Amino acid sequence: MSTTESQAPAAARPVSGVTLAEVEQFLYAEAALLDDWRLEEWVELFTLDCTYEIPATDVPDSDPGLTWSLIHDRRTMLEQRIIRLKKPEAHAEFPHSQTSRIIGNVRLTDRLEQSLLVEANFLVSRMKAGKFDQYAGRHYYELVPAAEGFLIRRKKSVLAHDRLDPQGKISFVL
Amino acid sequence: MPQPYVIDKREESLFQVDREVFTSQEIFEKERELIFADAWLYVGHESELPKKNDFRTRDVGGRSIIFNRDRHGDVRVLLNTCLHRGASVCRHPKGNQKIFTCFYHGWAYRNSGELVNVPAGEDYANAPADVYGGLRSPRVENYRGFYFCNFSDSAPDLRTWLGPSAYLFDLATDQSEDGVEVLEGTHNYTLNANWKLLVENSIDGYHAKSVHHTYFEMMMELGQTPPMLGEGTVNGVPPVGLGTEFGNGNVTLIYPGNGLPLATEQVAHNLAELRGKAVERHGEEYASAVFNLARNSVFFPNFFLIDLNFGMIIRTIMPLGPDRTQATSWHVAPRGLSQESLQYRIDNALTFWGPAGLATPDDVEALEQAQRGFSARREVPLSDISKGIGKPRPAANDELQMRAWWRQWNYVMTGEQLPAEVEAFTPFTTREPSRKPQEA
Ligand code: FES
Ligand SMILES: [Fe+2]
């Protein structure tokens, strides 16, 4: 529908031309920013009306806005989360843990008028003070095509865990 | 025992705990026997079983249990172990089911417990149903919809055990005329530290400024003064708050409630409305206790009610080993909130609490560091919990509440009864909660 594209100020370019390879490159680049703790740059990947969510492990399909989820951040709280994580008094993450993430099984699941729905599996390995943890699950994205790359309107990370054990916490950005 | 676990020297204003209690396998096993066999242990809330035949399986006091509403609508707690050879009869976390069938040999039980089917039952000279009856149940009682069980026949009833601390459940439940509900979603996480360290931490007002420095900075940045840095007195409770004890190791700390960080006008309006209705039902003084004070309470040994009024959390803490602990938490909200208000409460609570919040991971870090430090317990054998000892009205950031919990722990473990430190008190008039007719 050609008219909807002209009504889409958020999307700097049409969703119809986006390729899967382009989406994959974007997700890999995002993963690299997180592994490098370049969080200020990472948060700039998000739109102003974004949400960053992790549902509770026992209700992976629930709406994190209305259930007791693990994370439900809008832009302000997301910014505060990363400001905090950069301070030495963020005790659980200082010195920063080392992470290495593999993003795979990337699928472009839907093209909306101004945005794309994308799913990808993740496996994040984290080493901190001699302890090795892994986090597995699937990311669900709503991506808005930007002049270069994309902006993230929604990122929902669903853990494939039935409880947080042995990791016990999510003290960094998944 | 050459050395007592708990050293309570009132004349020297000193209270200490032997660090061995955080590391010893022997003490861990003794706790399982003594602490968790004889206490009222939190199981769940009535709102988690809205329909007949609803069930949830949980670990309570180290036992696997089924918390369910049977086909008659009665709430039950069944021990999730087959009478035949012990397998779990229910392996799902939740569902709706009239019959629980053991997958091992197929014995089947009604959700009220009776054994109703034994495959090839004719091979038994004595019918198993006649010999064994049905699934076993501990004692079950509830206070205002919060269900507890007790594995001992000799313990006093729930209301007696709660004593005056029961009013903390009233304050939580009376936020809405329809009571409260537990939301879907469970925070289920482990830590590598002794369970008693998390008990202490959950009622420790002293560590907030140091451990959660970054959180308070964030609050200030968002234009919100944390309550402990404020100056208002609410219902006789000063900004520094008050700690008190109620006997049986049940304790609370009360402090002026936080404001409403990042609240929209609509949210503030909805809350004012809720408060207005509470004033009509219970009067201004009680409503102000409900809505303008915050409370962190522990009901011995391991149930926590953290009632911050813009967000309420309950939490249980279970030992898995001397240096390994399981924490489970749920969010509780007044029934009938608008979607916007509900979301506001959840978001508010989430920014602080939980394993992915902006505060809890730092608590866990502190406890794991303490546990690590206990490796030098031979050289440095004692932990200190003396802050505020001897004060007639200790503040929320004193350590009375921990000492009271420890004295009960010590009593259950050793039989030695140490006298209470302060008299139980409430900073305002309590009232009998109003009951809806169908609950009468
Ligand atoms: S153990 Fe349950 S039927 Fe045999
Ligand atoms: Fe804390």
Side-chain angles (χ1 to χ4, degrees), chain B residues 82 84-87 102 104-107:
Chain B
C82 183
H84 183 226
R85 286 236 265 293
C102 177
Y104 194 0
H105 308 89
W107 287 25

Side-chain angles (χ1 to χ4, degrees), chain B residues 412-434:
Chain B
V412 177
M413 293 290 281
T414 68
E416 176 196 22
Q417 191 134 35
L418 298 162
E421 203 173 308
V422 302
E423 266 174 39
F425 74 102
T426 54
F428 47 84
T429 335
T430 58
R431 64 177 306 288
E432 282 300 306
S434 64

Side-chain angles (χ1 to χ4, degrees), chain A residues 1-54:
Chain A
M1 290 202 291
S2 57
T3 52
T4 54
E5 281 158 20
S6 59
Q7 290 166 359
R13 56 200 175 93
V15 297
S16 54
V18 170
T19 66
L20 176 63
E22 207 186 336
V23 170
E24 284 174 338
Q25 288 305 315
F26 175 75
L27 297 188
Y28 300 159
E30 186 212 353
L33 286 180
L34 289 172
D35 281 343
D36 294 342
W37 283 86
R38 287 157 65 185
L39 300 180
E40 295 89 346
E41 289 166 67
W42 175 75
V43 83
E44 290 309 323
L45 298 179
F46 285 79
T47 63
L48 292 179
D49 64 347
C50 69
T51 50
Y52 170 69
E53 308 166 306
I54 302 184

Side-chain angles (χ1 to χ4, degrees), chain B residues 17-335:
Chain B
V17 170
D18 187 335
R19 292 181 177 183
E20 199 75 27
V21 305
F22 298 113
T23 59
S24 147
Q25 182 72 30
E26 194 187 322
I27 292 172
F28 163 74
E29 274 155 28
K30 201 167 156 191
E31 280 176 338
R32 280 218 141 165
E33 281 307 308
L34 299 175
I35 303 278
F36 289 92
D38 213 28
W40 283 101
L41 301 171
Y42 180 70
V43 178
H45 189 261
E46 62 181 6
S47 60
E48 296 176 278
L49 306 171
K51 299 189 299 292
K52 284 179 184 174
N53 306 314
D54 278 350
F55 72 85
R56 304 219 174 220
T57 51
R58 298 215 153 125
D59 285 329
V60 174
R63 284 88 161 161
S64 168
I65 61 101
I66 305 170
F67 174 50
N68 74 324
R69 200 179 279 281
D70 70 18
R71 63 194 192 288
H72 308 296
D74 295 328
V75 173
R76 294 180 178 270
V77 176
L78 304 169
L79 288 173
N80 190 7
T81 179
C82 183
L83 298 171
H84 183 226
R85 286 236 265 293
S88 300
V89 301
C90 180
R91 293 176 295 151
H92 298 288
K94 66 181 173 194
N96 183 280
Q97 215 162 289
K98 286 186 182 138
I99 301 277
F100 298 112
T101 304
C102 177
F103 76 105
Y104 194 0
H105 308 89
W107 287 25
Y109 303 84
R110 246 184 221 129
N111 63 7
S112 42
E114 304 91 358
L115 174 58
V116 287
N117 189 45
V118 172
E122 63 277 9
D123 297 336
Y124 287 89
N126 304 306
D130 295 340
V131 179
Y132 297 112
L135 294 174
R136 299 292 182 268
S137 289
R139 290 167 66 193
V140 183
E141 288 176 31
N142 87 89
Y143 186 70
R144 305 215 60 189
F146 292 86
Y147 278 83
F148 291 78
C149 74
N150 197 309
F151 297 110
S152 152
D153 294 329
S154 56
D157 63 67
L158 176 65
R159 189 66 180 78
T160 306
W161 172 76
L162 288 175
S165 72
Y167 88 107
L168 296 162
F169 288 93
D170 294 338
L171 293 174
T173 311
D174 286 332
Q175 294 188 26
S176 151
E177 60 189 328
D178 300 321
V180 291
E181 62 182 331
V182 171
L183 301 187
E184 280 295 338
T186 312
H187 287 179
N188 219 328
Y189 57 102
T190 49
L191 45 146
N192 295 315
N194 188 275
W195 71 286
K196 299 186 289 302
L197 289 176
L198 185 56
V199 168
E200 289 182 348
N201 175 265
S202 303
I203 44 171
D204 179 357
Y206 188 21
H207 80 287
K209 272 189 204 169
S210 41
V211 170
H212 305 308
H213 183 65
T214 56
Y215 183 82
F216 294 120
E217 278 179 345
M218 178 193 86
M219 293 287 274
M220 309 276 263
E221 209 163 305
L222 299 177
Q224 194 67 46
T225 307
M228 70 195 58
L229 308 178
E231 40 200 45
T233 296
V234 179
N235 253 345
V237 175
V240 288
L242 298 167
T244 195
E245 58 178 315
F246 301 100
N248 296 331
N250 302 329
V251 301
T252 189
L253 46 113
I254 300 182
Y255 44 98
N258 212 338
L260 297 174
L262 298 177
T264 60
E265 265 176 43
Q266 187 60 44
V267 167
H269 172 80
N270 291 350
L271 188 70
E273 214 169 44
L274 213 57
R275 191 184 187 287
K277 287 186 192 159
V279 172
E280 277 170 34
R281 291 196 308 277
H282 307 292
E284 171 57 35
E285 194 191 13
Y286 186 76
S288 131
V290 170
F291 286 94
N292 303 97
L293 292 171
R295 300 161 278 274
N296 290 37
S297 311
V298 55
F299 301 88
F300 190 87
N302 70 332
F303 179 64
F304 293 80
L305 177 59
I306 300 160
D307 183 0
L308 304 180
N309 153 347
F310 63 72
M312 198 189 326
I313 294 112
I314 54 181
R315 175 190 273 178
T316 60
I317 299 173
M318 276 302 303
L320 300 176
D323 56 359
R324 198 139 169 80
T325 296
Q326 169 100 37
T328 312
S329 108
W330 296 268
H331 190 90
V332 184
R335 278 186 200 269

Side-chain angles (χ1 to χ4, degrees), chain A residues 119-158:
Chain A
E119 296 181 20
N121 283 10
F122 65 84
L123 181 64
V124 184
S125 303
R126 170 180 181 259
M127 172 61 96
K128 173 96 193 326
K131 199 165 160 272
F132 190 72
D133 290 318
Q134 282 192 322
Y135 299 76
R138 184 176 297 179
H139 293 310
Y140 294 81
Y141 289 93
E142 183 183 353
L143 298 180
V144 181
E148 271 172 69
F150 302 91
L151 288 173
I152 303 169
R153 179 174 283 155
R154 186 172 188 209
K155 178 177 180 180
K156 176 172 165 176
S157 304
V158 177

